[in-house]
Amino acid sequence: MDNCIFCKIARKEIPANKIYEDEHIIAFHDIHPVAPIHFLLIPKLHIDSLADADDSHRDLLGRMMVLASKLAKTQGCNEGFRIIVNTGRIGGQEVFHLHFHVIGGHQHLPGMIHQG
Ligand code: 5GP
Ligand code: ZN
C-alpha cells in the first residue's frame, strides 16, 4: 500500500518512535498520546481494519494480542491497561491499516463509552 502511513512506518520511509519490532509486528508511540502510556501495535502486513481480518490472520492477531500485553507491562502499565481497536467509520478509525492502541498510565482510564 503505497500511500498508507503505517506501511510507510513499516518500510522505514517515515520515522516512528519505536518500542518493538520483529518479522511481523512493529510497536511505536502514538504521535498524539491520550494518556501517559499510549502506543500502537501494527502488523507489517497491510490489513485495512479488523473488519477485514479473516482466518488466515489468526496467528498474527494472536501474536499481536500477547505482545500487546507484554509491551504494556514493559512500558509501565503495572496495574492494567486498555486495548482499543477502532474499526471502520462507525468505530472512528482514521488510519486504515489495522492497529491496536495500548493505553495506560497512573490513574483510572475514563469510562468506556460516554452516556447521554
Ligand atoms: P485511529 O483513529 O485510526 O484508531 O487512530 C490512529 C492513530 O494513529 C491516532 O491516535 C494518531 O495519533 C496516530 N497516528 C497517525 N499518524 C501517525 C504517525 O505518523 N505516527 C504516529 N506515531 N502515530 C500516528
Ligand atoms: Zn498499510
Side-chain angles (χ1 to χ4, degrees), residues 13-28:
E13 290 170 15
I14 60 169
N17 192 354
K18 250 175 249 171
I19 60 176
Y20 177 88
E21 178 167 10
D22 67 22
E23 194 186 340
H24 303 290
I25 300 164
I26 304 181
F28 52 91

Side-chain angles (χ1 to χ4, degrees), residues 5-6 28-32 40 86 92-95 99 101:
I5 193 144
F6 288 173
F28 52 91
H29 292 285
D30 196 291
I31 207 164
H32 293 127
L40 304 173
N86 294 325
Q93 187 176 359
E94 289 176 1
V95 177
H99 53 280
H101 294 258

Side-chain angles (χ1 to χ4, degrees), residues 29-51:
H29 292 285
D30 196 291
I31 207 164
H32 293 127
V34 300
I37 297 166
H38 184 180
F39 61 91
L40 304 173
L41 244 85
I42 65 166
K44 289 187 173 174
L45 176 71
H46 181 94
I47 304 167
D48 273 0
S49 86
L50 189 60

